[in-house]
Amino acid sequence: MTEGNFVDYVKMYVSSGKGGQGSAHLHREKYIEKGGPDGGDGGRGGHVIVRGKENLWTLLHLKFKKHIRAGHGEHGSKSRSTGADGEDVYVDVPLGTVVRDTETNTILFEITENGEEQILVEGGKGGLGNWHFKSSTNQTPRYAQPGMPIQEKYVTVELKVLADVGLVGFPNAGKSTLLSVITSAKPKIADYEFTTLKPNLGIVKYRDYQTFVMADIPGIIEGAAEGKGLGHYFLRHIERNSVLLFLIPADADDIKKQYDILLDELRRYNPEMLDKERVIAVSKCDMLDDELKEELKVELDNELPIPYYFISSVAQQGIMELKDALWKILNN
């Protein structure tokens, strides 16, 4: 999937169908001049329903559907015939989609399972026909109920990527390179910051044909939690990851400091992120000789509170060991 085709944020207007009007028909037949009321009920207006689809990975198909309207219910007719219901409209979304009311910013619901359905706006109820109002004192009612009006609202549809492992790091830390090495994904790779502007997903093949999903999240900068750069667009994709893999290059001035800054951005955005399992991968370690690596290892053993692994995506060093560690955490 190309970067331009990854759409994870859409605003749209949705409208249900209005209910059909009840009929005020009076029964007429040969030799029956004054039959009783026999007007049927109006049909229900169509719903707008959001449905989860596991084979969708983006909101691209909704990018140009800014207005979604369901069908109106048909009016009732004679012989107590009920009008046809309005046509329901289904909006298919990827798993991990959050739907918000645009005006209040409140979350209406989340779609996390394949085939899960949630009614976004309900169709109007059909009006009752005049035969419902017949009584001993009013045997020929010449009125019926109108159908209920439409429901409408503006909604914001957001995708939060569902992945087992999320790659977290500063820009140009080597996240896209790692993803390209251990999965079949082909993210854009270049030697400048913010090469990645949208999350990339890849399936990591493990032993015995087992797999897990890894997401390359665009680089985080200081102030991302306050929305600096594209902070909020980046950080929301990490919320759904089971394990956070912090990628810090071996040539960083202070590995522990970089880790603390990244962790603080996650904490300020959403404190619950700190409850996730965390692992550090020290990337680009092919630049270190054995002596430097040993010195760094002694330093990190004293400073880092979580497990860490030396890797090199280019030289294919430590990749299998990292896969083993991630698989073990995911299946605990």
Side-chain angles (χ1 to χ4, degrees), residues 11-44:
K11 288 185 176 180
M12 60 174 63
Y13 164 85
V14 292
S15 166
S16 65
K18 64 183 178 183
Q21 184 174 324
S23 172
H25 188 268
L26 298 174
H27 181 65
R28 291 291 181 267
E29 198 177 324
K30 192 176 182 180
Y31 306 122
I32 303 177
E33 292 183 14
K34 295 183 179 180
D38 70 344
D41 303 340
R44 168 184 66 79

Side-chain angles (χ1 to χ4, degrees), residues 110-157:
E110 300 182 28
I111 299 290
T112 56
E113 295 181 12
N114 186 46
E116 180 182 353
E117 295 182 3
Q118 296 278 359
I119 296 177
L120 187 51
V121 281
E122 289 190 4
K125 188 177 179 182
L128 298 177
N130 63 347
W131 71 274
H132 287 280
F133 305 106
K134 178 182 177 182
S135 67
S136 57
T137 56
N138 185 11
Q139 295 191 357
T140 55
R142 298 176 183 273
Y143 53 85
Q145 279 184 335
M148 297 294 286
I150 65 172
Q151 289 186 20
E152 56 184 349
K153 63 177 64 175
Y154 288 90
V155 296
T156 301
V157 183

Side-chain angles (χ1 to χ4, degrees), residues 58-69:
T58 171
L59 300 174
L60 177 66
H61 61 294
L62 300 177
K63 185 176 181 180
F64 302 107
K65 287 188 177 179
K66 298 299 184 184
H67 298 84
I68 294 179
R69 293 181 172 89

Side-chain angles (χ1 to χ4, degrees), residues 83-97:
D85 290 342
E87 185 179 357
D88 295 333
V89 174
Y90 287 87
V91 180
D92 291 331
V93 296
L95 308 189
T97 296

